[in-house]
Structures are given as structure tokens and as C-alpha cells.
Amino acid sequence: MTPLLAASPSITALTAAELRELLRRREVSAADAWQAYMSRAAALDPALRAFLEIAGDTPEVPGAPWETHPLLGGVPFALKDNICARGLFCTCGSRILEGFRPPYDATVTVRLREAGAMLMGKTNMDEFAMGSSCEHSGYFATANPWALDRVPGGSSGGAAAAVAADMTAFALGSDTGGSVRQPASFCGIVGLKPTYGLVSRYGLVAFASSLDQIGPLTKDVTDCALVLSAIAGHDPMDSTSARVAGEDYTRYLVPDIKGMRLGVPREYMGEGIEPGVRAAVERAVAGLNGMGAEVEECSLPHTEYGVATYYIIAPAEASSNLARYDGVRYGHRAGGARAGATTGAMTGAGAGTGAGGDLDLAAMYERTRSEGFGAEVRRRIMIGTYVLSAGYYDAYYLKAQKARTLVKQDFENVFARFDALVTPTAPTVAFPIGAKTADPLQMYLNDVFTIPVNMAGLPGISIPCGLSEGLPVGLQLIGPHMGEPTLLRLAYAYETASGIRHPRPAAVNAAVAAAEAIRAAGGVGGVAK
Amino acid sequence: MPAVSAAQVRHVAALARLSWDERSAPKLVGELNEILAYISKLSELDTADVPPTSHALDLRDNVLREDEPRKGLAQAEALADAPDSEAGMFRVPRVVGGQ
Amino acid sequence: MTAYEPVIGLEVHVELKTATKIFCSCSTDFGAPPNTQVCPICLGMPGVLPVLNRRVVEYALRAALALGCEVEPASQFARKNYFYPDLPKGYQITQYERSYAYRGHLDIEADGTSRRVGITRINIEEEAAKSFHGTRGPGGAGESYAPPRPSPDSPESAAGGGDEGEGYSLVDFNRGGVPLIEIVSEPDLRSPEEARAYLIKLRNLLLYTGISDCKMQEGSLRCDANVSLRPVGQEQLGNLVELKNMNSFRSVVRGLEYEIKRQTAVLEGGGRVARETRGWDEGRGATFSMRSKEQSDDYRYFPEPDLVLLRVDQAWLDRVGAEMPALPEARLRRMTQEQGLSEYMAGVIGADPLMAAFFDECVKLQGAGAGAGGGEGAAGVGGAITPAALANWITGDLARLANAEGVEFDALPVGPEHLVDLLRLVDAGRISGKMAKNLLEECWRAGQAGEAGQAGQAGQVGKAEQSGKDRPVAPLPSAIARGKGLEQVSDEGEVARIVASVLSGNGEAVASYHAGKDKALGFLVGQVMKASRGRANPALVNRLVREALGARS
């Protein structure tokens, strides 16, 4: 027992729903909850490096129904650093946005604040959500709480690590090609990518607009339903927001799946899957069968084209979405600001920043962007620019849009027969830090099972289904359009029956010890900047 | 698909306003060609009669806003994160051309 | 020697006068301090999303209807990608492969002939911000109006070509995101005069629809031209030059004339016209090369994923049509058939919507005042100021003053109430027609002086936009006339006294009249008018002098 955790060791071990119940019974105060999570985050962050920024004080939210709001009153949470919250930095893990404070809240931030949740800080991520390991953060890599020398997955790696290590009660991430589900899988927690349009994208810094969705990362399925209830529903600020009202998703948490028809796509169980992952998923499928679901093999024949399609469409949209980072209105500018001018933080990554303001416009653009963006982001901007450029649009971009139609049709065909699909979330468990950074393509292929879901705009959830080599394996459930109720019911039933619910990484204890060692040595706290 | 040349990559970098570094160019050209070779896998697909999808979902209704003004940001807020500003405006290296 | 024929097509950008911007709720009001009508959306901050303004669509549909376009049931927004400091997102949202309107036309008359000009397409898009360029520090930044941005004009040359000296630019995003429509014509125009006629007709038509102020000087209407030459009789088009930076109707004509001469000289010299973009330099009266087509931009258009398709069904289109103000043809019919104007007069007024609005207001005021104003001394005249009389003054004296001063009819220093008041004085016989002309000018000058005073008080507003609804500050003509004792004397007793006094002082003239010299009558009338300082009612003077002389009739 460490002194840091002695404050309220039990509070951080609770799920959001459990904490909410204690708050309701007034056995715990919101201030206790805040203090407990902040202490634990401060203790663990030096080892895990999950946070880019931890809020200083209890957030003052006028009129926030703390402690009393039935949904999430008094529950601390974290946001992936590509979701805007007024008053906190929003860097997207990029040096080009170092020091940028958005003057507005994302719609999801507003909704969580209105539901009484308390924002603790912003979590680390692959720069602009481009990556599957959190190693492409412009600041530092995040460690997996299950094994500190392994990646937490990405791009929402900081959010997943923080939730898995009980540094926050829940977090929101974003999922463009698997960025919520894959890190949830690697960290042994629950991650949901909702149907495209169910959750507003207003205030989510765009990576690939037609694929991005915000989703919850939670300790269990009940919390997932709870958080989704707070953030889902139509938003007039997002033109691609679905015309559906929010609802109470916890009512779908029924542990009964008798007669549910489940498909197992054979393309998702083929070569390239680690044996341990395959075994865990097969056990889970057998378990679901045992619970009364009808399980049958099926086929999504265009699966093998998913990654290629994605790596045309997503970079194309990204090359345009990231054009606004030009050093004019906010963020990093090469050459720094003119002396005496109003400025944000300008400490840049860049080598060769010259004296202030002496670059011509062309050089300012090119140096700002080359200094501000990391290698992976530059690579994807290059790909995206190329596939949209004159002479290549039809061969790449238009072709990919057509391939996207085929991928989408695959799902429409199987959902005529099945209520949901069951697959592994990723072909592997968390891999060692540095294992794939040298080979971009190998990194991309880690998203092979999650990408098609984004292409089709469908909901997908990853839930833990056991361990392989001591590391969590994620089970992905894919639903039809607006099939969240089915997914939550299925996930909840599996969680209940299997008893696999918020598995605790042993490594966290080591992390706590490491944190203590750092503190004892007079090291810094957990705040990244 | 034919491989892209260094000259093409350089052109694309100019379009994307990314600086071109001769030293790291060969590595970048190699990586891009590897990725392009992979995504060219799509040419195997017969998509003659397939319509393109640009939105994940069929969004059938218009999404429109009423023409009613709302207060935006104050000047100081708008300029708060500007790397350089003057006289209430964003200051940039001289824009040339066009005049 | 080969004769060459110019082939001209125009691209016209029109700012729509909605209350808010196209994709956010910021005000579009003109003249606010820089960067005060901005929000995270129109500043292109990370994470923001566009939502289309309904009125933008309805105004765009009015333009499509007025130009006889076919409206697409579904159209799509696209991103046009390029870097420029006045383009906050690094792309402009516009329409590309699927515009909302195609295949319209506009009939023009020029050089005595009538011609139908095809409208290829109309796009809905967003305006760029405004850049100011300067090298002299605060306050010294000279505005250079952003050239017909955000049409594709030169971002690449800015970034590709290196620097042109020192200095910096300042960017104000108040204008960024104001809605625009881009009207692209077929290359159906054959002379600068036709281009001018097309532009004026287009402007007037759009003014009628009420969707824009269409002020070229202020940039709410801008024009780029495509111009090429070909030997007369040849079908194939010559090499195309895109011409930009023309900020008035006059500069469009001058720019095209210059460019046609230049291209003719190149061809006659055995050369080839280079495909390029050229700018018009008003000061030098010449065009200059901005960039060649080889450097042509690659805008990497693709469908805007943040917006859904724009769908327009017949019901919506019908509703927009029903709400649209009457177009020129309907108005002309009303003026000639109901209001008794000549074809010519109706044509003059109908051609200028601002003049037409002034006329309408006068007619309305006149009608309202007819009953009340008929009391004093005006019995028998009955307030019968006809629309034709009003039209006569509007197209005559008022138009002459407006032309001389270069002001439009929505910004005159005198308003409809001044003209109606003036004509009532004439109609009641209180002033002569000649006095009325002088009084109008006096009233005009008083109005200008009042405007200058107001602007001075308002401080830096300067030549603020003059809404047509604002009442001019000039005093009414009747008040000026009263104040100066200018009103015509029609009192018979008073005039009779002056006549008696004049006759008694001009015995010689009276004698020569009686001796048979009729000319003396005119002299005596003139003397009476002079004695009354011109105020006496001339008809009355004439009668009384004749009576006093025992006139032969």
C-alpha cells in the first residue's frame, strides 16, 4: 500500500456507475472522487505518460449538477487531446498545435459537463490520430499498463491507458479506423465506436471527416452505455449528425441473448492472427453459442481491400483537413512570432527557426508545416495530396470511393441474416514499443479488422475476452446501422456470463512503485506541460 | 501503377506546402512507393458499375440553419493564439501576387 | 489581313446580402472593426464544422430563376484546396462537379442588336477574408482590395515565385465566409460593349431579385473574363486568356479592349497568344501577366464530407419563385399600362432597379398625400401629380444630378419625399418650373452638406454604407422656399399693386404699347417679375398687366 493510494484506494477501483451510486447515497463526495483520481493520475503518469495535460483545480462549472445529476454527476473523466474543451490546451498530440487553447467546447464536452462529469485533463494520442500505437505522438509515447514496454494501442492510447490504470473513471476517444477499439483491446477495457452520425463531431479535430466518430473508453459495458447516453443524439452544429434523440442506453443491458443470430466472418479469422488471439476469440464465440446465440460463419468478401481503401480516403480527407495548420491564426509558426507581438506558446520542435518574422510567405508555410508535423502525418498528407491531384483522382480517390461502396454492401448483405458479427478487434495483442515504427505498412495492417466498420459507418465495440501471453485480447462486435442497443446487450451478456470485467493489469502495481521511486528521487509530477 | 518519381514527390510536397529535403528524399520516395503499391491493390476490383460512396450513411434530408445572427468571438479572443498580430488583424509575411 | 473576332465569357461573383455568413451565424454587416464578426467556424479553428444557411440557398435559387436556369434536384459541395492567408481552412467550400443550377440565359442588347447569352452554371460558395498590404507600420497599411478572390487567382504564384520585397500583410476575417454565387457564362459575347451590356443587365436583374447590393466598387459584384481571338469564320477557339482585377464596369470594358488589341497585335505579328492569367492595371491602363497556364493550380477538388447533398424539390422552388420581387418585364408592363408612362420612360426607369424603387416610393407618397395636401390655395388642382410627371423629373433633373455626382439612386442626398414635395409646390402654382429646378439643386446641396456633417460626427465611419431606407437630411423644398421667401406670389391684390407701380414708373413703355408695339407688353411683364424678385406667378402677372393696359386680345 502506497501513501498515495491510501487517500481513497477504493474510489478509483470503482466503475463510473458504481461511483455514481456512492455519490447518490452521499457515501462519497464529488470532491473525494476528484481528489482520489487526481492523486492516482499524478502517481501513475510519470510511468505511463497517459496525459498530455492534467487540469489544475477542480473545474468550476457554473450550474453543473455535480453529485446530483443522475447520469454522471461528480464522475471524473478525461478527453483525448483532439476533443476541444475551453480552458485546456488542444494539441492533437502535435507540435503544430503546441500552446493552442480552443475558445470553445466540443458538443460532447458540453454534454458531459451538463451531465455533471468533471474533466480531469487531456490524454496522449498519435499525432492527429494517425497511428495505432501512440508512438506517433509529437510529445512522447504512452506505455501500456499491462506491460510498460508495450504500446497501449492507438490512436486513443493515452485515454485507454488512463482508464485501464484507473487514472480516470472513463474517457472519450475518437475512432477513424479503429482508434477507440484497438487501444481498448490492447488495454483490456471497453471501447465503442458508435454509428457514424450518432455522436456529434463538432469540436473533434478532424482527421478524416467521413470516418471520424467519438466514442467512450470505459471500465465495463455498463459505463459504456452510461456515457453513450450522455453524448449521443442529434446536434445542429454537425451537418452529418443523425436525426435521432439521445436515449438511456442502460436499458439495453439485459443478460439474455437467446436466439440472437451472430455471424463470424471467415476473412477475420484467417492468416495473420496470433494464435493466442484466435484461441481467445474462439472461446468467446463458443461462450456466446453456449448462452443461446445462433452462431454461423459468414463472408465479407471485400475485407482484403479495406485497408487499401482506407489508406486512400483517410489521407485524402486528412490532407485537406490539415491544411488549416499554416501558422497564420494559431499554433506553431516557423521563425517564431515577431518580437512584441501577441503570441501563444511558440517553443517549437523545429530546427532552424530563424529570427522572428523574416521568412517570406512560401517559406513560412513550408517550414511551419514541416517543423510542426511529425513524419507519419507528413507521410499521410503526401499520400492524400497525391491521390487527389490532377491525373490521379480517378485511379485512386474515385476508385477508393467505389471500393468503399463494395465494403459497405458486404455488411448490408450479411446484416440481412445476422443481428451482429463477432471478430477479433486486432490480429495481435499489444506489441512492444518500437516494433512497427520502421514499417508504416505493417502498422497500418494492425487495423485490418476495425477499418471496414468505419468505411461502412457502422457501430463496433471491443470488449475484453481473456488474455494471451498475459496481455488482453479484444473481442469486436459489429452491429448494423444504429445497432448500438444490440451491441450493448450482447456485450453486457458476454461480460456477465464470462466474468471478464475490468481485468486489472498487474503491471500497474509496478507503475505505482516506479512513480513512488520517481517521487522519492525528487522527480517531477505527472503534468506534461 | 507506375512508381512515383522523386520529381513527382517534390511536386506533391509543394502542393501540400511541405518543405523538400534532398537528403531524406530517397527514403520518403521509397516509403510512398511502397504504400502506393499496396493501395494500388484496388485496381484488381471491377468497379465499372459501382457508384462512389462519399458519406458513410445516406443522409437524405437537407441540413440547414436559419439566417439569424449570433455573437461570435471578441477580437481579443480571435487573436489570442495568433503567432503575430497587429491593429486587430493577423499579421503574415507579405502576400504577393494577385495585385 | 485576317480579321479577328473576340470570344468572351464572363465569370461573375456576387455577394449575397444575407444577415449571417454561409456556414456560421456571424453577422455579415459591413464596416465593423477587424476580426469582430468572427467565430471559431469562420476562423477555421480545429474541430469546427459548417452548417449551410437556408437563406443562402433561397437567394441562390432566386438568381437561378431570374436567369432561367435548370435547378438540380441534388447538388454537392466540394473542397477547393489551396493555401492563402485569407483562406482560413486551406480550402474553399464551393461547388464543382455538381452545381445547383445549369443552362440559363440572359438576353442583352448592344450595338443595336439583341443577343442571347448562355449561362453555363451557377455555384454557391464562400467568400475569402480581406487582406491589407503595407510596409509602413500601423496605420500605414494601404488596403489593396483582394482581387476577385476566391476565384482561382494566384495563390500559387504567391508561394511559388518567391518574394517581391519586404513587408507584411494583415488579414481581417470579417468578410471570410460571406456567401457568394458564381455565375459562369458561355463564351457568347463578341465585344467589350456586349460584356458591359451583359454585366449591367445581370446586375439590374440581380438587384431586382433583392439578393445582393451588386456594388462593383465595394466588391459585392466582381467580374473575371475569359477572352480569346479567332479568325472570323473559324469555329475553333483561340488560346484563352483569363483576365482579372477589373473593379468597375468601365475597367471591364477597358481591360477587354486592351486585351483584344494586345492579342490582335500578337497574332498579326505572327505570334501565338500565350494561355495565361492576366491582371488589369487600372492606373497604367494595361494588362499584365500574373501566371501562365503551365503553372496552373491543382486544386484537388473532392466532395465536402462535412456537408450533405443539397436537395431542392419543385415545391421549394415554387415557394422561392412566389416570394421573389417582380422582375423587370412585369414591372415595365405596370408602368406603361397602369401608370401611363411612355415606353421610353418606362424603359429608362425599368433598367435601373434603384431608380425604379425611388419612383415607386414617390408614387406611393404622392398617393398618400393627395387628400390631405389639397387644402390651402390649391383648390382645383387636386394633388394630381401624375406618375408620368414624377418619372419626368426622376429621369430628367434627378438623373442628371446623380450622373454628375456619380451616385446611385439608393444614395441620393434627397429622397422621394423631397421630389413629391417639390412637385406639389409646382402643381399648386406656388413656384414656377424654373424655380423648381433651382430649388431641387439647392435641396441636393443641403442634403450633401448634411451627410458630410453626419459623417464627421460619426468619426471614422467615413463614407459609410448608405442604406436606401435612411431618410436624407435635406430640408424639404417647401421649407427652403418658405425660409427664403421664394414662394411664388399668386395673391391677386399683391401682384396688382406691383403691376400698378411698374406701369406708373414706365410711362414710355406703356405709351409705346398703346402705339401698337406689342413687344412692350413683354418688357412690362418682365419688369413686374423683376420687381417681385421673380416670385410673382407669371400667368397672373401676364393677365393683370394686360388688364391694366386694357389689352387688345
Side-chain angles (χ1 to χ4, degrees), chain C residues 515-535:
Chain C
K517 294 199 171 161
D518 283 0
K519 264 170 77 182
L521 177 67
F523 171 77
L524 288 168
V525 168
Q527 290 304 108
V528 173
M529 288 307 292
K530 196 173 165 189
S532 76
R533 294 193 319 259
R535 294 162 55 221

Side-chain angles (χ1 to χ4, degrees), chain B residues 62 65-67 70 75 88 90, chain C residues 20 25 34-35 51-52 311:
Chain B
N62 276 322
R65 199 187 82 242
E66 296 310 313
D67 187 28
R70 277 199 222 149
Q75 191 187 68
F90 296 89
Chain C
T20 64
S25 299
N35 294 306
V51 183
L52 183 60
R311 296 176 194 273

Side-chain angles (χ1 to χ4, degrees), chain A residues 411-493:
Chain A
F411 282 108
E412 283 162 8
N413 292 340
V414 295
F415 280 119
R417 288 195 293 134
F418 297 104
D419 297 306
L421 306 180
V422 186
T423 81
T425 304
T428 67
V429 291
F431 45 84
I433 289 174
K436 297 187 189 228
T437 43
D439 188 345
L441 206 50
Q442 278 313 304
M443 188 77 95
Y444 298 172
L445 288 169
N446 203 255
D447 295 332
V448 61
F449 300 148
T450 46
I451 278 173
V453 178
N454 299 74
M455 306 295 292
L458 301 176
I461 191 169
S462 178
I463 56 175
C465 68
L467 302 179
S468 165
E469 302 163 35
L471 295 167
V473 174
L475 182 73
Q476 178 176 236
L477 308 171
I478 303 169
H481 178 224
M482 294 293 170
E484 279 80 358
T486 304
L487 293 189
L488 288 168
R489 179 172 160 188
L490 193 54
Y492 181 71

Side-chain angles (χ1 to χ4, degrees), chain C residues 337-523:
Chain C
Q337 293 177 3
E338 295 171 27
Q339 298 179 313
L341 271 61
S342 68
E343 291 275 344
Y344 171 76
M345 202 79 87
V348 173
I349 292 180
D352 181 347
L354 300 175
M355 192 189 279
F358 193 97
F359 170 75
D360 285 349
E361 184 69 10
C362 288
V363 171
K364 210 169 89 194
L365 280 174
Q366 190 290 126
E376 171 206 346
V381 221
I385 307 170
T386 61
L390 286 163
N392 211 5
W393 277 85
I394 289 170
T395 58
D397 289 84
L398 217 43
R400 181 177 50 77
L401 285 166
N403 281 338
E405 307 266 342
V407 287
E408 299 275 2
F409 261 76
D410 62 347
L412 301 185
V414 300
E417 67 275 30
H418 293 86
L419 186 65
V420 169
D421 181 72
L422 186 78
L423 264 65
R424 287 213 179 106
L425 292 176
V426 176
D427 195 51
R430 295 200 210 158
I431 58 171
S432 66
K434 186 165 187 305
M435 285 167 71
K437 285 177 192 287
N438 294 335
L439 200 49
L440 181 64
E441 293 202 28
E442 192 158 343
C443 199
W444 181 285
R445 281 193 298 277
Q448 282 177 324
E451 270 173 17
Q454 276 194 330
Q457 281 160 14
Q460 62 195 64
V461 175
K463 189 170 177 266
E465 51 176 345
Q466 174 93 16
S467 156
K469 296 282 180 260
D470 290 342
R471 283 288 148 240
V473 289
L476 287 174
S478 55
I480 297 177
R482 240 189 333 275
K484 299 198 150 193
L486 282 177
E487 251 182 278
Q488 190 162 273
V489 179
S490 298
D491 181 85
E492 197 163 325
E494 194 183 337
V495 175
R497 274 194 298 280
I498 302 173
V499 169
S501 145
V502 166
L503 291 195
S504 70
N506 287 278
E508 270 180 46
V510 172
S512 69
Y513 175 80
H514 288 302
K517 294 199 171 161
D518 283 0
K519 264 170 77 182
L521 177 67
F523 171 77

Side-chain angles (χ1 to χ4, degrees), chain A residues 187-524:
Chain A
C187 292
I189 58 170
V190 175
L192 170 71
K193 184 205 90 78
T195 301
Y196 186 84
L198 182 61
V199 176
S200 169
R201 292 187 295 120
Y202 188 76
L204 167 67
V205 180
F207 161 14
S209 310
S210 75
L211 304 167
D212 296 340
Q213 255 310 268
I214 290 172
L217 291 132
T218 56
K219 296 182 183 182
D220 70 357
V221 176
T222 302
D223 282 5
C224 181
L226 202 57
V227 176
L228 186 64
S229 303
I231 63 174
H234 181 251
D235 176 15
M237 299 294 281
D238 177 357
S239 301
T240 63
S241 166
R243 300 274 172 100
V244 295
E247 58 173 319
D248 178 6
Y249 287 94
T250 59
R251 68 198 179 95
Y252 301 112
L253 302 175
V254 181
D256 173 15
I257 56 167
K258 278 191 198 68
M260 208 179 254
R261 299 161 304 164
L262 303 179
V264 180
R266 72 175 71 94
E267 293 82 3
Y268 285 62
M269 295 296 272
E271 285 172 34
I273 301 180
E274 285 178 358
V277 170
R278 183 197 303 273
V281 171
E282 281 172 349
R283 272 198 308 278
V285 170
L288 290 164
N289 197 8
M291 292 159 64
E294 299 166 16
V295 180
E296 204 184 310
E297 193 184 69
C298 65
S299 174
L300 299 166
H302 295 96
T303 300
E304 63 171 311
Y305 300 102
V307 173
T309 307
Y310 177 86
Y311 276 94
I312 293 170
I313 289 173
E317 293 183 12
S319 70
S320 177
N321 283 330
L322 270 58
R324 70 189 60 197
Y325 307 108
D326 58 5
V328 173
R329 285 146 294 122
Y330 44 74
H332 174 66
R333 174 187 290 188
R338 187 170 49 106
T342 55
T343 176
M346 290 307 305
T347 51
T353 53
D358 57 355
L359 295 172
D360 69 29
L361 186 65
M364 190 278 275
Y365 278 148
E366 292 191 355
R367 286 184 49 185
T368 293
R369 291 167 59 77
S370 292
E371 289 169 8
F373 292 136
E376 178 61 21
V377 171
R378 290 200 304 270
R379 194 152 45 226
R380 295 207 201 181
I381 290 174
M382 291 290 290
I383 296 280
T385 304
Y386 178 76
V387 299
L388 287 175
S389 65
Y392 299 97
Y393 183 91
D394 285 1
Y396 288 106
Y397 188 72
L398 190 62
K399 186 80 178 181
Q401 283 193 314
K402 292 178 173 180
R404 184 173 183 179
T405 305
L406 296 174
V407 170
K408 212 175 133 196
Q409 285 170 351
D410 277 359
F411 282 108
E412 283 162 8
N413 292 340
V414 295
F415 280 119
R417 288 195 293 134
F418 297 104
D419 297 306
L421 306 180
V422 186
T423 81
T425 304
T428 67
V429 291
F431 45 84
I433 289 174
K436 297 187 189 228
T437 43
D439 188 345
L441 206 50
Q442 278 313 304
M443 188 77 95
Y444 298 172
L445 288 169
N446 203 255
D447 295 332
V448 61
F449 300 148
T450 46
I451 278 173
V453 178
N454 299 74
M455 306 295 292
L458 301 176
I461 191 169
S462 178
I463 56 175
C465 68
L467 302 179
S468 165
E469 302 163 35
L471 295 167
V473 174
L475 182 73
Q476 178 176 236
L477 308 171
I478 303 169
H481 178 224
M482 294 293 170
E484 279 80 358
T486 304
L487 293 189
L488 288 168
R489 179 172 160 188
L490 193 54
Y492 181 71
Y494 176 79
E495 181 185 76
T496 307
S498 69
I500 302 173
R501 178 167 165 270
H502 192 21
R504 288 300 192 301
V508 167
N509 293 332
V512 172
E516 280 305 293
I518 288 169
R519 282 175 62 87
V524 292

